[in-house]
């Protein structure tokens, strides 16, 4: 038995007799005390069989054994009474003494012994309800333990599937169900089993059941063996059959565990099929490139479909300013995605950038967890930006957006998104920077030169004025000067640059030209 498990013995007649606080005993010498008690019924009917379903412990004080005159039924009457109960499938008969009878009638003892029915003597101080409660409490305890055992067994089977494949799953299933686990092909031939040494008779019985139920689950129970079989199917494709054979009827938790094992085996069987299909799509795309053709866009998109979220949407993450470390960073991010059991799409790009394909639902926390795979020294220097969520058809545009957003991000700061790029994207792009650099040389450099030559602060004053939307009081307060001083400085700027700051376009271009120098 595995460490941490326990024997889940059913509530048997033998177990009940061992409960010393009930002071129970047997009358006669019953041969078999292993019957499993499903329920406890108290009845004084002369013929209670029609109210029973089998598996019960029947408790009585013997009133049903009295005839109409109050006389005690003889051997024939006791034989008939016992036989009706046996035919109905009860497990045992409990007889309370000290009320109707001082002792168990000998004729009843003899009748029970002849029929092989355990006869339990219940002393006067022991109430019937105490027996019913003991059985009910034990049943509840066993059910709880069984569920707990199933909860422990499921992760064991999952780990076994990852590390040991089908054989390991069968071993764990056999242990958890206290039986034998078998894997069969579609023709009912056993291909793998656990534990070793399963009898040929059991294998034949399991094979016959599979051949009789190829497309559905089935349960067969005979005097010695209970067999449960299930087809292993994925998307209409049958990979074989799973079976469990045991000496006890399948418990509810057994069915749960068998279903869990079936799912694990289905994934294990279907994995090579899915990998082959993916490899086939990759080969087609590669061969198309080798032939000098442009690959079909829809065909390429199917290769990345597993990277998308449930709605088929993705985001593109771009990390910039990595230089010669780009390849190493791409490798680390791809390895981190693999650790997270995620499809890994990451590549170093020209210029020292790295692009990574994410799920559309990946949030700031998920992205931070991904980037945590990078050394701290690398994270301190890179700028990272992530696009909005887009369908796979929009990956190229999302990549370009992410480049722009990353360019606006703070070096070593949090990952920027499209909201972070507002007001800085033009400065962040290469083309934008080139245009603004030229504008800065035309408009800002002369102002900086004037400040250097005359010890003034025209450049600083202009920027404060523009960033405060021409609000004299606010801009002057930021600079720590009087508003009249600021007005004089701005007038000097207009004079030196020969511009009119009353024009919104002039103000916008000047602000961008100033920002590019930061």
């Amino acid at each position: 038995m595995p460490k941490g498990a326990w024997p889940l013995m059913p509530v048997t007649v033998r177990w009940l007799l061992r409960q010393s606080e009930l002071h129970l005993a047997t009358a006669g010498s019953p041969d078999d005390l292993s019957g499993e008690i499903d329920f406890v019924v108290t009845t004084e009917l002369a013929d209670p069989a029609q109210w029973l379903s089998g598996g019960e412990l029947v408790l009585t004080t013997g009133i049903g054994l009295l005839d109409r005159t109050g006389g005690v039924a003889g051997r024939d009457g006791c034989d008939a009474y016992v036989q009706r109960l046996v035919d109905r499938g009860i497990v045992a008969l409990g007889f309370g003494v000290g009320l109707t009878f001082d002792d168990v009638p000998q004729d009843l003892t003899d009748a029970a012994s002849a029929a092989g029915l355990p006869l339990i003597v219940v002393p006067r101080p022991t109430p019937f309800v105490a027996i019913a409660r003991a059985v009910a409490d034990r049943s509840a305890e066993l059910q709880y333990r069984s569920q707990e055992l199933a909860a422990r067994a499921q992760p064991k089977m999952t780990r076994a599937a990852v590390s040991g494949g089908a054989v390991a799953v069968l071993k764990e299933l056999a242990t958890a169900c206290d039986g034998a686990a078998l894997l069969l092909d579609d023709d009912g031939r056993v291909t793998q089993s656990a534990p070793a040494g399963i009898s040929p008779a059991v294998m034949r019985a399991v094979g016959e059941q599979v051949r009789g139920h190829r497309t559905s689950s089935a349960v067969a129970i005979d005097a010695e063996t209970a067999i449960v079989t299930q087809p292993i199917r994925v998307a209409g494709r049958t990979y074989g059959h799973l079976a469990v054979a045991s000496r006890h009827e399948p418990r509810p938790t057994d069915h749960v565990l068998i279903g869990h094992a079936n799912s694990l085996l289905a994934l294990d069987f279907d994995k090579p099929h899915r990998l082959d299909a993916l490899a086939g799509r990759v080969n087609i795309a590669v061969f198309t490139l080798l032939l000098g053709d442009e690959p079909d866009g829809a065909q390429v998109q199917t290769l990345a479909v597993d990277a998308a979220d449930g709605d088929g949407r993705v985001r593109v993450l771009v990390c910039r300013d990595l230089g010669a470390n780009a390849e190493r960073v791409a490798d680390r991010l791809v390895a981190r995605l693999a650790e997270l059991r995620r499809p890994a799409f990451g590549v170093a790009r020209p210029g020292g950038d790295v692009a990574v394909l994410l799920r559309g639902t990946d949030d700031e926390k998920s992205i931070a967890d991904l980037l945590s795979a990078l050394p701290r020294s690398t994270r301190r220097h890179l700028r990272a930006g992530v696009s909005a969520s887009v369908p796979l058809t929009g990956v190229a545009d999302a990549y370009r957006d992410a480049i722009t957003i990353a360019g606006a991000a703070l070096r070593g700061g949090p990952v920027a998104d499209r909201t972070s790029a507002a007001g800085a994207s033009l400065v962040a792009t290469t083309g934008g920077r080139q245009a603004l650099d030229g504008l800065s040389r035309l408009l800002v450099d002369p102002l900086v030169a004037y400040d250097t030559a005359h010890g003034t602060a025209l450049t600083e004053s202009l920027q404060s004025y523009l960033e405060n939307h021409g609000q004299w009081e606010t801009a002057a307060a930021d600079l720590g000067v009087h508003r009249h001083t600021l007005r004089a400085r701005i007038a000097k700027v207009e004079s030196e640059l020969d511009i009119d700051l009353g024009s919104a376009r002039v103000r916008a271009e000047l602000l961008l030209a100033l920002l590019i120098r930061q």
Side-chain angles (χ1 to χ4, degrees):
M1 183 164 300
K3 183 179 180 181
W6 50 80
L8 295 179
M9 300 300 293
V11 186
T12 63
V13 177
R14 181 178 290 106
W15 175 87
L16 184 62
L17 290 169
R18 288 175 178 169
Q19 308 314 299
S20 58
E21 71 278 8
L22 297 176
H23 306 289
L24 305 177
T26 57
S29 302
D31 295 330
D32 186 8
L33 298 176
S34 63
E36 300 178 13
I37 302 171
D38 295 332
F39 202 69
V40 178
V41 176
T42 298
T43 179
E44 300 297 347
L45 296 174
D47 183 11
Q50 61 181 317
W51 309 108
L52 304 174
S53 60
E56 296 93 348
L57 163 62
V58 173
L59 300 178
T60 182
T61 62
I63 294 176
L65 295 176
L66 300 177
D67 59 23
R68 293 180 181 179
T69 63
V72 181
R75 176 61 188 273
D76 290 343
C78 288
D79 280 342
Y81 178 82
V82 168
Q83 193 58 49
R84 287 193 293 270
L85 297 178
V86 170
D87 290 344
R88 199 60 175 172
I90 76 161
V91 175
L93 176 64
F95 196 91
V97 297
L99 291 173
T100 309
F101 295 89
D102 292 333
D103 295 299
V104 180
Q106 187 60 46
D107 286 337
L108 181 62
T109 300
D110 293 342
S113 296
L117 178 69
L119 181 58
I120 300 173
V121 181
V122 184
R124 177 68 180 83
T126 300
F128 284 178
V129 70
I131 299 173
R133 184 179 296 115
V135 172
D137 289 348
R138 177 62 173 170
S139 295
E141 177 188 7
L142 291 177
Q143 183 177 10
Y144 173 77
R145 289 186 176 183
S146 180
Q147 291 171 345
E148 188 177 15
L149 180 59
R152 292 181 182 179
Q154 284 180 308
K156 285 184 178 180
M157 279 194 284
T158 301
R159 289 192 293 270
V162 173
S163 60
V167 173
V169 173
L170 292 179
K171 288 179 180 178
E172 291 293 342
L173 179 62
T175 299
C177 293
D178 190 24
L182 306 93
L183 198 58
L184 303 93
D185 62 21
D186 202 35
D187 293 325
R189 292 186 294 264
V190 176
T191 58
Q192 293 173 319
S193 62
I198 300 175
S199 73
V202 169
M203 289 189 178
R204 283 195 299 272
V206 171
E208 290 173 2
Q209 184 163 319
V210 164
R211 286 187 287 274
H213 303 83
R214 293 180 185 274
T215 61
S216 62
S217 303
V219 178
I221 302 172
D222 60 23
E224 294 185 357
T225 308
I227 299 172
V228 180
T229 59
Q230 292 184 356
I232 302 172
R233 298 175 61 83
V234 178
R237 180 173 182 169
T238 301
Y239 289 99
H241 297 262
L242 174 63
V244 169
S246 60
R247 293 185 178 276
H248 60 80
E249 290 191 25
R251 299 162 293 211
T253 49
D254 291 339
H255 288 291
V256 171
L257 293 172
I258 294 168
H260 183 63
N262 191 317
S263 298
L264 294 173
L265 292 170
L267 289 173
D268 191 61
F269 284 126
D270 192 52
K271 182 167 57 178
H273 175 70
R274 287 184 285 113
L275 290 176
D276 288 344
L278 179 60
R281 294 198 297 270
V282 171
N283 291 344
I284 291 172
V286 170
F287 192 36
T288 300
L289 290 172
L290 292 174
L291 292 174
D293 299 332
E294 288 292 330
D296 179 74
Q299 179 190 91
V300 173
Q301 289 161 21
T302 64
L303 302 178
V305 69
D306 289 340
D309 62 20
D311 295 323
R313 300 182 71 84
V314 293
R315 306 178 79 182
V316 177
L317 171 69
V318 169
C319 299
R320 304 196 66 178
D321 301 338
L322 296 168
N325 289 325
E327 290 283 356
R328 189 178 302 110
V329 167
D331 290 343
R332 282 182 177 267
L333 295 179
V334 165
R336 179 58 179 160
L337 287 170
E339 288 175 7
L340 297 172
R341 314 292 292 179
R342 298 265 303 271
F345 290 85
V347 62
R349 302 291 292 168
D353 293 350
V354 168
V356 181
L357 193 62
L358 304 177
R359 292 177 300 211
T361 53
D362 280 339
D363 56 15
E364 181 180 345
K365 183 179 178 182
S366 300
I367 298 171
D369 179 61
L370 174 63
L371 293 178
S372 68
L374 302 179
R376 186 174 302 175
S377 58
T378 301
R379 297 201 304 270
R380 280 201 302 264
H381 293 93
L382 68 77
R383 291 183 292 160
V386 64
S387 73
S389 171
V390 299
L392 281 168
T393 54
V395 167
D397 288 338
Y399 169 61
R400 286 189 287 270
D401 292 344
I403 292 175
T404 300
I405 294 169
L410 294 175
R411 195 180 306 278
V415 177
D417 58 19
R418 61 188 179 88
T419 60
S420 309
S425 57
L426 186 59
V427 177
T429 60
T430 301
R433 291 189 68 88
Q434 290 173 348
L436 292 176
D437 278 337
L439 186 63
S440 178
R441 286 192 299 273
L442 288 173
L443 299 179
V444 179
D445 284 1
L447 209 57
V448 172
Y450 184 91
D451 284 338
T452 302
H454 298 87
T456 55
L458 299 183
T459 307
E460 179 186 12
S461 299
L462 175 61
Q463 183 161 345
S464 179
Y465 170 75
L466 293 173
E467 288 184 342
N468 285 286
H469 312 292
Q471 301 295 318
W472 297 107
E473 295 285 353
T474 306
D478 285 349
L479 293 169
V481 300
H482 194 276
R483 67 178 182 279
H484 294 316
T485 302
L486 178 60
R487 284 181 182 275
R489 290 179 181 178
I490 296 304
K492 185 63 175 175
V493 168
E494 289 182 307
S495 173
E496 287 297 320
L497 298 180
D498 193 20
I499 58 173
D500 178 12
L501 289 176
S503 167
R505 290 189 178 184
V506 171
R507 293 196 303 272
E509 287 188 352
L510 268 174
L511 180 58
L512 291 172
L514 287 164
L515 290 174
I516 199 67
R517 301 178 67 89
Q518 296 180 346

